[in-house]
């Protein structure tokens, strides 16, 4: 059984939390005491019926305002798969939370209210999903019961969404008419929409192939830590601890260490102290090399004949996440890429992207919270990267404010 | 056409990874980030199943070397003896440094007022001792075994959870946590709480303990015990729990689903004497772990959120 991480995004009142609640409820993942707690809370808030949305509202201010502020994680499983649901708030000022949640998602569910169709927020959420390289997108056209379960209404929304999707790099798109409130086409097939013959939401979630989404070609291994026991029996042991970001490595492979460009050969790969044959994408292992060369945290081990770009000049899409200080050309930050950190300066804001119209805005001086732009930056040390859309793990970076230490920007290197 | 043939063959020859392998790899990655990013980390270890899992993961992460940070336990003095014995034995076995600090000492040194009455617990006082211990050893990161499936406030917390110089968690000013890029940069005096098994569920922990053949303190398995029956919950019959006229003393076959402070951890009636039986029982259980056994969370809807803001785990 494997694991799927998905994010749900939608405007306020699109019924996101209800949809998650419905998925948990219909897959029998809500426990008796949790159900009782929801029933109690539903009554105190005069919600009338049991409010499935209450399952995902965690913080006091969220419950008071009836909204989701922060990214929330829910865990459930079916006999076929384990799921991590990432609930990103729909509120306008919290777009940065969707970017945060989307960064680790294999799939995005974008909710559209059947009464309103594709709206500004749908465009925004779709852009973020495509920009963050989420391979699979499900558009759930919700509240179908409120438009009389009309096929025409659904087809019209589906058509306008497909037009929008053409402008974006969405690899795999499924559009499903649902009612989260009534449970139509979520887990069980709807009896009110017999005209719909496609898959239910759960069926898509259970069946998308996420292994295919991984980059299995380009061998990349960011060194996190050097294991040196320095005991009598392990006197000369020097193991490089890290996680395979993409591709795979095996004993005897010729490798190169970046940015230093030193070459060597893999002597041994270990996991938990035991030798293993091969290490594949996402595995946390320890690599030992034949040559005694200088490697430390922040270095990247790559396949010899398949190297990433090594450069100090980087162009990237950035989503700005700081509500206190804007990003300005000329400002300095710390760029964290893999396990490497380097000071960097913003050379130029090439253009901003209007996340609703997708149009480019030229001559922008600064970026504020939630703005998306293409920037050019220069790092103090060379960075070994791949373009994000080719390799999510080795094309992603964050910007850290040097004085507050807060994470202020999400970068997708182009 | 050729593209789809290629894609299919890739999928066919490579098996989808098992979720336990995925969770394990992620947790090991997080542990190594802690070792790589911080000067003085510590692993909070209570002898409970979640922190036992952490120690096992840390051993795997740094093998064949030793765990490069100490194990730290904040002892309320009201812990189960079985968990304490397990704690000491494990630390000795793996050659880890074990630091124990006692809530009792903090109470005396600071003149803290303990709760009184029938549901009195030192659980909330742990925070003071924890913060003092962090200051004493200048720990900049503390690894803990909290999971997001445990409780609603925990479901919103970052894996690297920033705490200010007072140890406080501010849910509205959490750092965005993107991809697997953890930002552990802090100023002196601040610290980060790190939760490597954030994405594990209770069942995942049990399945992992079984797969890895990890031994647990005996109280996790069914045994006969003298208990206090109070408000429908079974508490250990011990002098540290103030008695109440309504209490009934009973003997039952029970196991503990969580191993916290005795004053706020209830037992469940069970005949599950092995890991397999425990897993089978949890799989069909219709009540959540904290709901069934934790008295501290049931006081208000936001009990955990409030404690976290004050510096608790």
């Amino acid at each position: 059984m494997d694991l799927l991480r998905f994010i749900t995004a939608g405007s306020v009142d699109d019924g996101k939390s209800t949809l998650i609640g419905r998925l948990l409820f219909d897959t029998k993942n809500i426990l008796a005491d949790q159900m009782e707690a929801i029933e109690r809370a539903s009554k105190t808030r005069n919600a009338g019926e049991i409010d499935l949305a209450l399952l995902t509202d965690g913080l006091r201010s969220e419950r008071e305002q009836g909204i989701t502020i922060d990214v929330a994680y829910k865990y459930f499983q079916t006999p076929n798969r384990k799921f991590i649901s990432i609930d990103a708030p729909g509120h306008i000022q919290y777009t940065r939370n969707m970017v945060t949640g989307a960064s680790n998602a294999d799939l995005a569910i974008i909710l559209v209210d059947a009464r309103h169709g594709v709206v500004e927020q749908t465009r925004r959420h779709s852009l973020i999903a495509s920009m963050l390289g989420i391979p699979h997108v499900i558009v759930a056209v919700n509240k179908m019961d409120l438009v009389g379960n009309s096929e025409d209404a659904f087809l019209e929304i589906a058509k306008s969404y497909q037009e929008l999707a053409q402008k974006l790099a969405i690899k795999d798109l499924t559009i499903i008419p649902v009612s989260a409130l009534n449970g139509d086409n979520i887990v069980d097939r709807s009896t009110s929409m017999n005209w719909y013959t496609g898959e239910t939401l759960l069926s898509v979630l259970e069946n998308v192939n996420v292994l295919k989404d991984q980059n299995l070609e380009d061998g990349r291994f960011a060194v996190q830590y050097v294991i040196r026991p320095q005991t009598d029996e392990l006197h000369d042991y020097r193991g490089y601890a890290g996680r395979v970001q993409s591709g795979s490595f095996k004993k005897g492979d010729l490798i190169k260490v970046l940015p230093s460009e030193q070459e060597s050969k893999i002597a041994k790969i270990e996991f938990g102290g035991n030798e293993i044959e091969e290490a594949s994408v996402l595995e946390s292992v320890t690599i030992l090399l034949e040559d005694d060369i200088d490697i430390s945290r922040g270095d990247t081990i790559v396949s010899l004949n398949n190297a990433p770009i090594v450069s100090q000049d980087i162009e990237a899409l950035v989503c700005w996440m700081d509500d206190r200080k804007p990003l300005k050309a000329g400002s300095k930050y710390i760029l964290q890429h893999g396990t490497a950190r380097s000071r960097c300066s913003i050379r130029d804001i090439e253009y901003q992207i209007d996340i609703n119209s997708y149009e480019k805005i030229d001559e922008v001086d600064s970026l504020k919270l939630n703005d998306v732009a293409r920037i050019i930056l220069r790092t103090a040390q060379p960075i070994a990267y791949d373009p994000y859309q080719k390799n999510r793990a080795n094309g992603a970076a964050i910007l850290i404010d040097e004085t507050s230490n807060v994470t202020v920007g999400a970068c997708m290197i182009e | 056409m050729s593209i789809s043939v290629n894609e299919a063959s890739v999928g066919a020859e490579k098996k989808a990874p098992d979720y336990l392998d995925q969770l394990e790899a992620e947790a090991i990655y997080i542990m190594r980030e802690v070792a790589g990013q911080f000067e003085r980390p510590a692993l909070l270890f209570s002898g409970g199943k979640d922190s036992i899992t952490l120690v096992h993961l840390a051993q795997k992460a740094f093998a064949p070397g030793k765990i490069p940070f100490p194990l730290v336990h904040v002892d309320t003095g009201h812990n189960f003896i079985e968990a304490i014995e397990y704690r000491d034995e494990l630390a000795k076995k793996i050659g880890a440094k074990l630091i124990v600090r006692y809530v009792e000492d903090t109470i005396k040194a600071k003149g803290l007022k303990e709760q009184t009455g029938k549901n009195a617990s030192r659980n909330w006082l742990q925070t003071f001792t924890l913060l003092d211990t962090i200051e004493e050893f200048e720990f900049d990161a503390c690894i803990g075994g909290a999971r997001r499936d445990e409780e609603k406030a925990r479901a919103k917390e970052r894996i690297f959870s920033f705490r200010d110089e007072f140890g406080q968690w501010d849910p509205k000013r959490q750092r965005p946590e993107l991809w697997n890029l953890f930002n552990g940069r802090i100023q002196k005096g601040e610290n980060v709480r790190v939760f490597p098994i954030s994405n594990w569920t209770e069942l995942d922990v049990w399945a992992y303990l079984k797969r890895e053949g990890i031994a647990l303190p005996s109280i996790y398995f069914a045994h006969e015990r003298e208990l206090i029956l109070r408000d429908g919950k079974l508490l250990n019959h011990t002098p540290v729990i103030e008695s109440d006229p309504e209490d009934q003393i009973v003997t039952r076959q029970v196991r503990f689903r969580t191993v916290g402070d005795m004053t706020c951890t209830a037992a469940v009636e069970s005949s599950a004497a092995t890991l397999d039986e425990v897993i089978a029982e949890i799989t069909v259980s219709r009540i959540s772990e904290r709901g069934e056994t934790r008295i501290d969370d049931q006081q208000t809807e936001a009990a955990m959120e409030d404690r976290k803001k004050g510096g608790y785990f």
Side-chain angles (χ1 to χ4, degrees), chain A residues 113-124:
Chain A
D113 187 322
R115 295 168 301 174
H116 307 133
V118 174
V119 296
E120 200 173 282
Q121 293 215 35
T122 318
R123 301 176 63 85
R124 180 182 321 185

Side-chain angles (χ1 to χ4, degrees), chain B residues 108-276:
Chain B
K108 283 187 190 144
K110 298 207 148 134
L112 297 177
K113 196 164 156 34
E114 289 198 65
Q115 290 181 341
T116 51
K118 73 166 190 175
N119 284 326
S121 171
R122 284 179 171 179
N123 199 42
W124 70 283
L125 289 175
Q126 283 182 84
T127 304
F128 294 93
T129 313
L130 175 63
L131 296 180
D132 285 353
T133 311
I134 289 172
E135 235 177 85
E136 180 187 348
F137 293 94
E138 296 180 44
F139 291 133
D140 47 8
C142 294
I143 301 169
R147 310 187 318 265
R148 284 173 178 154
D149 81 320
E150 280 181 79
E151 203 277 336
K152 289 201 282 189
R154 285 203 161 145
K156 306 248 159 165
E157 191 165 8
R158 303 288 185 260
I159 290 172
F160 269 41
S161 183
F162 172 80
R163 302 300 172 99
D164 65 15
E165 56 184 313
F166 305 103
Q168 298 179 106
W169 180 58
D170 182 352
K172 287 191 181 165
R173 294 213 63 83
Q174 298 197 82
R175 293 177 179 175
E177 199 159 78
L178 297 129
W179 298 288
N180 56 359
L181 299 172
F182 298 104
N183 171 5
R185 275 181 63 101
I186 51 170
Q187 309 278 359
K188 200 165 165 46
E190 298 168 343
N191 68 84
V192 173
R193 309 286 169 89
V194 181
F195 305 113
I197 58 168
S198 283
N199 286 324
W200 299 41
T201 64
E202 183 193 12
L203 203 51
D204 296 338
V205 171
W206 283 106
Y208 185 72
L209 290 166
K210 181 181 169 223
R211 190 183 87 170
E212 301 290 303
I214 303 168
L216 286 178
S218 57
I219 46 174
Y220 278 112
F221 303 101
H223 59 285
E224 285 223 331
R225 183 181 282 263
E226 198 169 272
L227 301 132
I228 302 169
L229 176 61
R230 175 188 292 179
D231 303 330
K233 288 204 157 56
L234 292 163
L235 295 164
N236 195 27
H237 188 214
T238 154
V240 306
I241 299 179
E242 215 169 301
S243 64
D244 185 82
E246 311 253 303
D247 286 348
Q248 266 180 272
I249 307 302
V250 295
T251 301
R252 299 277 165 83
Q253 197 183 29
V254 294
R255 63 179 177 85
F256 288 87
R257 210 168 150 183
T258 65
V259 179
D261 188 286
M262 284 191 287
T263 57
C264 61
T265 309
V268 293
E269 288 198 59
S270 165
S271 59
T274 66
L275 271 173
D276 280 320

Side-chain angles (χ1 to χ4, degrees), chain A residues 366-383:
Chain A
S366 68
L367 301 178
K368 55 185 193 311
L369 176 68
N370 296 329
D371 283 350
V372 172
R374 189 180 154 105
I375 56 170
I376 299 176
L377 51 86
R378 182 166 172 86
T379 56
Q381 283 87 37
I383 299 289

Side-chain angles (χ1 to χ4, degrees), chain A residues 237-262:
Chain A
Y237 185 99
R238 210 179 154 80
Y240 303 105
R243 195 173 187 188
V244 181
Q245 294 168 289
S246 60
S248 59
F249 293 91
K250 60 180 191 307
K251 185 178 175 167
D253 278 0
L254 297 174
I255 59 96
K256 185 153 76 172
V257 182
L258 296 174
S260 68
E261 304 275 352
Q262 303 168 94

